[in-house]
């Protein structure tokens, strides 16, 4: 057996600096760290033996204890809270991480979108995000950036210090191809890069590769993943006790590396134990490992595989792939529709085809996506539709400068404002959320990406042309249609009656007088209309809306008769008289000669608009829709009894005078009697 230990294995500069400083402080006063100082349980336990404990929040800090900020760093708000509360603290943030904090804070203040290439759950990334108010875009793959950055966005890119070079380069290229002027900072720690390159070189020459480090350490997991691509037997262990004791290592080439948070004493222990195992005369490990490997399905990032749905929860979908562990589809990767109910889309027992987003053999995690697979398939469909001129149906998901974005099974299609409708639309946001049919006009390849341009207008025009042909072939006067009000003008409403617009004149909207069509209809209303007349050659159609049964003259004919006394309201005064409303839509004329029982110079001297009066019907002509009214006739009728009474009073006057003369000489009893008569 030969053992090849990586020179870069173990503590990096930042971790070594932090641990050394903690041990020095602990000799002077009580010290606690805000979270584990590093991702290595054995190292943390050894620090505890020296009186250095980890706390999860500032509130857990014992009085008189100095708080140490760990190498991963913290958010700006945490530092501010420490300052505000007067906590005695020492900042052990790795200098390389500290530099990223400064970059992010400065560029965020300059108005740039911050992109952090890294694991969103890693403490270092959480801390960096806290220096731009937690508004960063977090990405481990280019798929994490889809729909989040546009061509003219000002973007600043930084990376988790322990990120692998391949992932960063891939995302860097995507951003350069997408944005016009990105600001990119390569913040991968040089020590991390050297450690990874050395680990790969050793793995290529080894039969067994051992990666030593905490199971929660991101840089240790990444080392293991890189080694797995070049060595068939890779083991990530926290200490030698986790190395499988049944593995036979004699005559094998053993490679050993360790993560940045692995202390030297653990590495030394692993090397010593491996050398001791070599003396035990075990059988060849290679054959046993080969048999074990054959029993497992091999998965790689980018694979398209089939599996069986095992469980569906709000968080996502578990899928059995025949791998050593189930794959998982996060809820956001099931469908491109954010409002979709994933429990309705997939059910336990369903066979499902998925895209392998990420394989983490060390943690036994397989991240899957159905949405990405749908997007790949839909992208092919869209390109085919551009050639065949097929009509696609998608959802308008966003209004952008100059148009809208339609989503077709996860593929974004840009529809210019001029192509968003067959009519001018003032506010494109009104289209967001609507389902729309469109045709792909063009697919542009720009720096490796497809920019798809579509048209809703093209489909609408085609549909309208077909509908118009059907309409003109069957149109006839009096035929009724369920139309949609498209627009209103001061003289009427334009209604789509099946690919063709007709005009309902304002006079045809109501039997009563209206000032504007909006008093009866509004845009988007479904209205029952009928053909009054049409001219196919000129493409003109006159429509009716008001119903015959609602005609107030029908009611007037049934209820009014000459001689009837009615209540009415003065609605208009003219030199020759006044018009009074009897019913809405039915007016009668009170001629100036019929306004009063005397001669008048002006109608306004007796009547005013809005005044309610009683009048007598003196004339009816329903064919000409004319009604004559008279106030004078009523006044004269009221005066006739008064005149008769006056004549009677004149005849009775001499008698009363005679009675009075007699009364002078009459008794009281006779006066009362005469008065009573």
């Amino acid at each position: 057996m030969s053992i090849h230990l990586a020179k870069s294995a173990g503590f990096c500069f930042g971790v070594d600096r932090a641990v050394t400083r903690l041990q020095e402080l602990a000799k002077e006063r009580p010290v606690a760290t805000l979270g584990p100082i590093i991702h290595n349980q054995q190292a943390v336990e050894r620090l505890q033996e020296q009186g250095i404990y980890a706390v999860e929040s500032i509130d857990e800090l014992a009085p008189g204890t100095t708080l140490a900020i760990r190498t991963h760093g913290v958010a700006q708000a945490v530092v501010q809270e420490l300052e505000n509360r007067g906590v005695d603290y020492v900042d052990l943030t790795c200098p390389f991480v500290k530099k990223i904090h400064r970059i992010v804070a400065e560029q965020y203040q300059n108005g740039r979108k911050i992109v952090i290439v890294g694991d969103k759950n890693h403490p270092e990334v959480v801390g960096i995000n806290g220096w731009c108010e937690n508004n960063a875009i977090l990405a481990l793959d280019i798929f994490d950036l889809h729909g989040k950055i546009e061509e003219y966005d000002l973007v600043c890119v930084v990376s988790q210090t322990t990120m692998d070079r391949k992932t960063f380069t891939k995302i860097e290229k995507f951003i350069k191809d997408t944005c016009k002027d990105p600001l990119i900072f390569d913040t991968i720690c040089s020590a991390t890069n050297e450690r990874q390159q050395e680990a790969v070189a050793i793995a290529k020459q080894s039969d067994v590769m051992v990666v030593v480090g905490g199971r929660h350490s991101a840089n240790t997991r990444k080392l293991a993943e890189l080694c797995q691509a070049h060595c068939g037997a890779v083991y990530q262990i926290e200490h030698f006790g986790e190395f499988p004791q049944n593995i036979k290592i004699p005559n094998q080439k053993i490679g050993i590396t360790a993560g940045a948070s692995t202390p030297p004493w653990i590495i030394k222990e692993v090397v010593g134990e491996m050398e001791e195992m070599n003396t035990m005369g075990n059988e060849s490990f290679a054959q046993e490992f080969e048999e074990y490997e054959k029993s497992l399905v091999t998965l790689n990032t980018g694979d398209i595989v089939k599996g069986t749905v095992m469980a569906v929860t709000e968080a996502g979908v578990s899928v059995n792939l025949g791998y050593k562990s189930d794959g998982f589809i996060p809820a956001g990767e099931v469908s491109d529709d954010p409002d979709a109910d994933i429990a309705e889309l997939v059910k336990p027992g369903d066979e499902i085809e998925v895209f392998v987003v990420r394989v983490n053999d060390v943690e036994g995690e397989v991240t899957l996506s159905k949405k990405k697979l749908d997007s790949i398939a839909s992208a092919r469909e869209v390109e085919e539709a551009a050639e065949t001129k097929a009509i696609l149906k998608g959802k308008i998901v966003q209004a952008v400068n100059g148009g809208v974005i339609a989503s077709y099974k996860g593929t974004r299609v840009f529809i210019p404002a001029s192509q968003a409708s067959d009519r001018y639309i003032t506010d494109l946001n009104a289209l967001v959320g609507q389902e729309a049919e469109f045709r792909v006009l063009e697919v542009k390849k720009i720096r490796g990406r497809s920019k798809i341009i579509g048209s809703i207008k093209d489909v609408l025009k085609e549909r309208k042309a077909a509908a118009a042909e059907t309409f003109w072939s069957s149109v006839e006067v009096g035929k009724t249609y369920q139309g949609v009000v498209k627009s209103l003008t001061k003289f009427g409403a334009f209604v789509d009656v099946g690919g063709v617009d007709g005009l309902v004149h304002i006079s045809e909207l109501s039997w009563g007088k209206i000032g504007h069509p909006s008093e009866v209809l509004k845009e988007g209303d479904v209205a029952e209309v009928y053909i009054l007349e049409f001219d196919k050659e000129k493409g003109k159609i006159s429509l009716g809306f008001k119903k015959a049964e609602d005609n107030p003259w029908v009611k007037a004919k049934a209820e009014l008769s000459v001689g009837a006394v009615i209540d009415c309201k003065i609605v208009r005064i003219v030199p020759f008289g006044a018009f009074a409303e009897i019913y809405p839509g039915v007016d009668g004329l009170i001629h100036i000669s019929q306004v009063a029982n005397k001669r008048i110079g002006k109608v306004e001297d007796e009547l005013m608009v809005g005044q309610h009066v009683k009048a007598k019907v003196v004339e009816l002509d329903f064919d000409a829709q004319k009604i004559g009214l008279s106030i004078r006739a009523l006044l004269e009728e009221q005066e006739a009894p008064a005149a008769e009474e006056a004549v009677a009073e004149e005849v009775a006057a001499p008698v009363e005078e005679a009675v009075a003369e007699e009364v002078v000489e009459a008794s009281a009893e006779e006066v009362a009697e005469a008065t009573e008569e």
Side-chain angles (χ1 to χ4, degrees), residues 443-456:
V443 178
K444 291 182 178 180
K445 297 290 185 180
I446 303 175
R447 290 172 291 190
R449 295 181 63 212
S450 293
K451 185 173 183 179
I452 304 160
I453 301 172
S455 172
I456 296 173

Side-chain angles (χ1 to χ4, degrees), residues 8 83 144 150 229 252 275 286 313 350 356 366 403 413 435 503 528 558 563 637 661:
S8 59
E83 296 284 354
D144 296 331
E150 301 292 342
Q252 303 294 310
E275 289 175 342
T313 66
D350 288 353
V356 180
V366 182
V413 180
E435 295 286 339
L503 173 65
E528 187 177 277
E637 287 179 1
E661 291 174 1

Side-chain angles (χ1 to χ4, degrees), residues 346-596:
V346 290
K347 299 184 183 302
D350 288 353
E351 186 177 62
I352 188 173
E353 193 170 40
V354 291
F355 180 90
V356 180
V357 177
R358 192 175 298 113
V359 179
N360 187 338
D361 284 330
V362 177
E363 294 294 323
E365 297 175 353
V366 182
T367 305
L368 309 172
S369 173
K370 183 178 181 298
K371 183 172 75 174
K372 287 182 174 62
L373 190 58
D374 291 341
S375 179
I376 293 170
S378 67
R380 288 196 294 264
E381 286 183 45
V382 168
E383 292 187 7
E384 290 173 3
E387 297 177 3
T388 62
K389 304 299 180 185
I391 295 174
L392 304 177
K393 187 174 183 179
K395 187 175 184 179
I396 307 299
V397 295
Q398 186 181 3
V400 295
N401 186 25
V404 295
I405 301 295
S407 175
Y408 176 72
K409 298 180 180 178
T411 296
R412 292 164 65 87
V413 180
F414 174 67
I415 299 175
S418 61
Q419 299 296 318
S421 177
D422 59 342
R423 298 175 183 275
Y424 176 72
I425 298 178
T426 305
D427 184 8
L428 292 174
N429 285 293
L431 298 178
V432 175
Q434 294 183 14
E435 295 286 339
E437 290 185 315
F438 59 89
R439 181 173 278 124
V440 179
L441 300 180
E442 185 179 5
V443 178
K444 291 182 178 180
K445 297 290 185 180
I446 303 175
R447 290 172 291 190
R449 295 181 63 212
S450 293
K451 185 173 183 179
I452 304 160
I453 301 172
S455 172
I456 296 173
K457 178 180 178 180
D458 200 44
V459 176
L460 291 176
K461 287 177 65 177
E462 183 179 299
R463 292 281 163 82
K464 277 198 168 185
E469 185 177 346
T470 301
F471 173 85
W472 287 116
S473 65
S474 61
V475 65
E476 58 184 37
V477 173
K479 190 170 182 178
T480 301
Y481 293 87
Q482 291 290 328
V484 178
V485 178
K486 290 299 183 181
S487 62
L488 301 175
T489 67
K490 63 182 180 180
F491 55 81
F494 285 96
V495 180
D496 183 347
V497 288
V500 180
D501 288 354
L503 173 65
V504 182
H505 192 270
I506 190 170
S507 62
E508 291 295 330
L509 284 170
S510 173
W511 289 104
K513 288 180 172 54
I514 58 173
H516 192 273
S518 60
E519 295 176 33
V520 179
L521 295 172
K522 62 179 182 293
E523 288 186 19
D525 279 354
V526 176
E528 187 177 277
V529 295
Y530 52 90
I531 307 295
L532 293 177
E533 58 182 29
F534 63 90
D535 186 333
K536 183 176 180 180
E537 292 182 2
K538 295 182 179 180
K540 291 185 177 180
I541 307 165
S542 294
L543 301 172
F545 175 73
K546 59 187 183 182
K547 306 296 185 293
E549 58 268 26
D550 296 331
N551 187 346
W553 284 95
V554 174
K555 181 178 181 181
K557 190 172 183 179
E559 297 182 358
L560 296 182
S561 60
V562 174
V565 177
I566 60 171
D567 291 313
C568 50
K569 182 175 75 172
I570 306 301
V571 292
R572 189 158 51 102
I573 294 176
V574 294
F576 55 83
F579 286 95
E581 183 183 69
I582 302 171
Y583 306 113
V586 176
D587 295 346
L589 173 64
I590 307 173
H591 192 271
I592 189 171
S593 64
Q594 300 299 315
V595 171

Side-chain angles (χ1 to χ4, degrees), residues 17 289 394:
R17 163 181 168 272
F289 184 80

Side-chain angles (χ1 to χ4, degrees), residues 127-174:
I128 296 171
N129 197 10
W131 289 83
C132 59
E133 298 181 338
N134 296 312
N135 287 323
I137 300 169
L138 310 179
L140 276 173
D141 195 284
I142 60 173
F143 293 108
D144 296 331
L145 298 173
H146 277 285
K148 297 179 181 178
I149 57 172
E150 301 292 342
E151 184 176 1
Y152 293 100
D153 283 342
L154 293 174
V155 174
C156 170
V157 184
V158 296
S159 172
Q160 182 178 330
T161 56
T162 54
M163 182 53 52
D164 66 283
R165 177 66 55 189
K166 182 179 178 182
T167 297
F168 181 78
T169 302
K170 183 179 179 182
I171 293 177
E172 177 185 28
K173 182 179 184 304
F174 176 83

Side-chain angles (χ1 to χ4, degrees), residues 38-86:
I38 52 176
H39 281 148
N40 187 285
Q41 187 60 33
Q42 286 69 40
V44 170
E45 289 174 356
R46 179 165 287 196
L47 289 172
Q48 286 178 352
E49 293 172 0
Q50 300 174 49
I52 304 167
Y53 292 89
V55 295
E56 294 302 319
S57 72
I58 301 173
D59 295 330
E60 297 177 20
L61 198 64
T65 302
T66 296
L67 183 69
I69 296 177
R70 57 184 172 177
T71 54
H72 300 118
V74 294
Q76 186 177 22
V78 176
V79 176
Q80 191 63 53
E81 185 179 0
L82 291 172
E83 296 284 354
N84 293 342
R85 294 172 63 167

Side-chain angles (χ1 to χ4, degrees), residues 82-127:
L82 291 172
E83 296 284 354
N84 293 342
R85 294 172 63 167
V87 175
D88 179 31
Y89 74 94
V90 58
D91 191 349
L92 299 181
T93 303
C94 171
F96 295 110
V97 176
K98 202 75 173 173
K99 178 183 177 182
I100 302 174
H101 290 176
R102 289 194 295 270
I103 292 171
V104 167
E106 179 182 349
Q107 296 307 320
Y108 183 69
Q109 289 298 319
N110 291 341
R112 288 187 177 265
K113 281 186 177 181
I114 306 298
V115 175
I116 304 174
V117 182
D119 181 354
K120 64 181 179 181
N121 297 317
H122 193 280
E124 180 185 313
V125 174
V126 172

